[in-house]
Structure formats: C-alpha cells, structure tokens
Amino acid sequence: MTLHFINATLIDPDAGTEFKGSVSVDDGHITAVTAGGLTDPDGVIVDCGGKYLAPGIVDLGVKVCEPGERHKESYRSAGLAAAKGGVTTMITRPDTDPAIDSPETLEFVTRRANEAAPVHVLPMAALTKGRAGKEMTEIGFLMDAGAIAFTDCDHVVTDTRVFSRALTYARSLGALVIAHCQEPVLSRGAAATSGKFASLRGLPAVSPMAERMGLDRDIALVEMTGARYHADQITTARALPPLERAKANGLDITAGIGIHHLTLNALDVADYRTFFKLKPPLRDEEDRLAMVDAVASGLIDIVCSMHTPQDEESKRLPFEEAASGAVGLETLLPAALRLWHAEMISLPQLWRAMSFTPAQRLGLSSGRLAVGAPADLVVFDPNAPFVMDRATLLSKSRNTPFDGVRMQGKVLATYVSGTCVYEN
C-alpha cells in the first residue's frame, strides 16, 4: 500500500532544513520527498494538516526490565510508550537481572522484544560479565547474536587493564563501546551535585570534576586502543573541553546526554523530591545551559530519554536511599521542545541529535527523510498544550519528574516501516 503524507512541514536533520512538502511511502520505505504538494497521487492520502513530519526518534539507552523486574517495565509496555512518544527505535540497555552478557540471554530478549513491542528494538550487551568489571564478555559471539553495542551502563570498569583489553578487542571487531564517565570513588554514594544547595539539604554530593576525571581516563584509553567509543552522558561544562580536544585529535568518540539534564537543574530537587534523583545527579543551571549550547553546536552528538523505570517502593524512600532514574519515552519529545520554544535550538538540530546521529553512530539506515530510508516517521504538533499527568503514561512505572507540569508538543501519529503503530 502506497502512503502519501501531504500538507506537512518536513524536518530533514541530515540537511538541517525544514520546509513544506510531502513524503511518499511504499513497502515500508520512503519512495519520494517532495517540496510542495502532489498532483493526483495514487494511494492512501494522509493529510498532516500543516503539522510537522520528521524521522522517528532513535532512543539510545532505554532500560526495559526483562528479565528480572518485569513489574517495572516489559517490552510490551515500553514499546507502547515508545510509540506514543514518537520513538520508532529503542536501543535497550543490558542492566537487567541477570545482565545481558551471553548470547543465550541476548537471544531471549530479542525474541521477547520482537513478539511484544510495536517498534524496532535493538539490544546492547554487557561489556564485562555480570557488569562486574572483572572479565570481558564474548564480544564476537554477542555481535553474531545481534548486539548493537557494548556497555556496563552506570557501572564504571575500574580495572583499566580489563577496560583497555575490552576496548582493543572491540576495535578489532568494529564494535561500539558505551561508557559511563564518572570517577567511581568520588561519586560513590552521591545523591546530588556539590554546592551550596546540596550542603543546605545535607545531601551527599559529588563534584562535577568526577565526570571530567572519568572522561579524561577514557579518552586516554581510546587514544591508546583506537576503539569506537561513546560517552553515555556528558552533563557538566568541565567535561566539554577534553571532549572537544579528543574530537579535534581525530579520536572516534561521540557523547550523549539525557533529556532530563538538558531541561532540569539541581534546584528542581527542592524538598527531596525523589523523582528528580538521577545518575549522574542534576547539575547547576550554568552546566545545563552549557549542555544546550553543546547540543546545538554538535559537540554533544546525541540526546536520549535515558528511560529508567523505578517502582513506587524504590522511589518512596528518603532521598539518599531512593533509586536513581526517571522514565522518559513519552516525555522526551515535549521536554525537548521546551528548548525549541525557548529559541535555544532549532528543530533540525534537535532531530539531528535525537534521530539522525544515533542512527548513524549505530550503523542504521533510519533517522533520515530520504528516498530508500525506512518509513519510520512521527507526525507531531509542537504547539499543542497539555498538563502532564503521570497516571496517563503507558509505562508500567510512572516515575516522571514532569508530573503536573504544563508542556507543549504532542505526537499525533507514529509509523514504523510505513505501518501506523500509534495515533492520537
């Protein structure tokens, strides 16, 4: 069936443009991108009513709690939440129970995802067995089983010999390694970023330099091994100069940031609100603004939801004891549009970071409005106002920091390989 999306404002993150036009889709792929309208098209017409049409979001770093904690999030609930949020590809994390560190476990989650989720699901595998940082996993076998990248998530591999060997082996296979940049001793037990606010609240805190120190170490190892490397979250201004130098020196390095660190700051914790407890902790406003500028310039390459479901029992605790993390699949788009409404970043720049660049980094053909690209598309209205009510979220866990917040930007429809998987 041929689909024609007409009367749309198209966002092309590759060219960095937005324009009025139409997109034709057949057999799950884009067959034409046309400026202006179409003359007597054959097929099914989808009138976008002047709203925006963009490539579907490629969300790098989604936690789905299968196996082990299915009550927090399943592939079915995460897939439905992703479709509602305009996410057409979820890159899932291996921090499950047990960790995804063997081909057998990877094949299990891949089969579950394909059965249950209406969107594309591409799993990452652990870099070391059990994410314990002691012994690297069988990277080659895991790649053969479908692992798209390797990471121990928020567990820092403290043994530099193990990490360097894993990077060397990954380089020989062309595998992408994703790491969490923190100096582990300084950041152990931290619940906030050091400063006056944390002191007044009596919260254990960590200096922003811990992130800089962790990144400096990783850059040195990447320079030594020549591996493909991605920093999962860069959140402090102190870490930007070494990142810029590493890129200028030709290292194969990219960096990401979660949407919560782009739109919230340390003061949002207020009176110990645990839905705002994240890892790394929320930063000062000066850091947040520096991160927005870095995303706009392309120094920070990727913006993701860093979707981390936690149940009520994990969050309804004293701030220091509460689990870290927030859900973000359904709030990624409206939260990111806050930056556009504030005129801090353009829509093509946002979609470059949320769709085009993550797809390119992972070797995917999605994230583009181009002939031959997969018809993974999202139609949205960036100006539609609403009040976020966490009771309406499709995720099993509803630990969002945006509960009760006035937001703008709604997904109207999501298409995966030309098939509508969500319609508002």
Side-chain angles (χ1 to χ4, degrees), residues 8-19 50-55 57 295-296 303 332-357 367 369 378-383 408-410:
T9 303
L10 306 182
I11 298 174
D12 185 345
D14 188 7
T17 58
E18 57 180 279
F19 57 94
K51 306 306 181 188
Y52 285 79
L53 177 66
I57 295 170
V295 171
V303 173
L332 172 57
L333 180 56
L337 288 172
R338 282 180 157 190
L339 306 175
W340 178 69
H341 286 295
E343 299 182 349
M344 303 174 78
I345 196 167
S346 70
L347 290 178
Q349 287 172 325
L350 272 179
W351 253 261
R352 180 192 66 199
M354 294 194 300
S355 185
F356 178 73
T357 303
L369 282 188
V378 57
V379 183
F380 68 99
D381 181 355
N383 297 307
Q408 278 183 282
K410 281 188 175 182

Side-chain angles (χ1 to χ4, degrees), residues 75 105-115 121-123 145-147:
Y75 279 102
T105 310
L106 184 67
E107 288 167 0
F108 165 77
V109 299
T110 302
R111 184 171 63 253
R112 283 286 302 136
N114 290 335
E115 291 170 353
V121 180
L122 300 173

Side-chain angles (χ1 to χ4, degrees), residues 1-326:
M1 181 177 66
T2 302
L3 288 175
H4 300 286
F5 296 87
I6 66 169
N7 192 21
T9 303
L10 306 182
I11 298 174
D12 185 345
D14 188 7
T17 58
E18 57 180 279
F19 57 94
K20 296 288 185 181
S22 58
V23 172
S24 299
V25 171
D26 195 13
D27 195 25
H29 290 79
I30 296 173
T31 56
V33 179
T34 309
L38 296 176
T39 304
D40 299 326
D42 294 326
V44 177
I45 303 298
V46 180
D47 190 340
C48 297
K51 306 306 181 188
Y52 285 79
L53 177 66
I57 295 170
V58 179
D59 196 358
L60 176 56
V62 175
K63 180 170 182 176
V64 180
C65 306
E66 287 190 73
E69 296 177 302
R70 195 170 181 271
H71 65 283
K72 291 185 178 181
E73 194 79 285
S74 67
Y75 279 102
R76 181 62 180 169
S77 61
L80 292 173
K84 184 180 177 182
V87 175
T88 53
T89 301
M90 295 191 299
I91 312 300
T92 57
R93 300 183 343 226
D95 51 345
T96 50
D97 185 18
I100 301 171
D101 60 0
S102 68
E104 294 78 15
T105 310
L106 184 67
E107 288 167 0
F108 165 77
V109 299
T110 302
R111 184 171 63 253
R112 283 286 302 136
N114 290 335
E115 291 170 353
V119 301
H120 303 300
V121 180
L122 300 173
M124 296 186 284
L127 184 66
T128 65
K129 293 183 178 180
R131 300 194 302 130
K134 304 294 185 183
E135 181 183 358
M136 70 178 178
T137 54
E138 297 168 321
I139 294 175
F141 290 149
L142 285 162
M143 289 182 72
D144 291 341
I148 197 166
F150 295 85
T151 178
D152 279 353
C153 304
D154 60 351
H155 286 187
V156 177
V157 181
T158 56
D159 189 322
T160 52
R161 179 171 293 182
V162 171
F163 195 33
S164 65
R165 285 175 174 170
L167 287 170
T168 300
Y169 195 63
R171 179 189 59 79
S172 70
L173 297 171
L176 177 66
V177 173
I178 299 178
H180 183 69
C181 297
Q182 286 291 315
E183 202 294 313
V185 177
L186 278 177
S187 57
R188 185 185 303 144
T193 299
S194 59
K196 182 178 179 181
F197 180 80
S199 298
L200 289 172
R201 290 295 186 272
L203 294 173
V206 60
S207 167
M209 284 301 292
E211 182 172 282
R212 161 75 180 271
M213 293 165 69
L215 180 61
D216 281 337
R217 183 203 72 153
D218 287 5
I219 287 173
L221 291 174
V222 171
E223 184 176 356
M224 182 175 77
T225 61
R228 298 176 61 221
Y229 174 92
H230 175 75
D232 65 350
Q233 291 202 84
I234 296 298
T235 61
T236 67
R238 295 285 185 91
L240 294 178
L243 175 63
E244 188 171 19
R245 286 195 298 271
K247 288 188 171 188
N249 290 336
L251 300 185
D252 192 351
I253 181 171
T254 50
I257 187 172
I259 190 60
H260 300 107
H261 286 89
L262 277 180
T263 54
L264 303 169
N265 66 31
L267 298 181
D268 286 306
V269 171
D271 294 322
Y272 309 103
R273 292 189 288 177
T274 58
F275 280 11
F276 291 82
K277 185 181 180 184
L278 305 172
K279 184 185 285 188
L282 289 171
R283 306 301 191 181
D284 294 335
E285 177 67 2
E286 293 78 9
D287 285 311
R288 186 189 74 83
L289 294 175
M291 297 306 105
V292 175
D293 289 342
V295 171
S297 70
L299 178 57
I300 289 181
D301 307 86
I302 293 171
V303 173
C304 63
S305 69
M306 203 50 67
H307 180 80
T308 306
Q310 301 288 3
D311 56 17
E312 297 287 325
E313 290 76 12
S314 302
K315 281 291 188 180
R316 301 297 185 187
L317 294 170
F319 196 88
E320 293 178 42
E321 300 172 22
S324 300

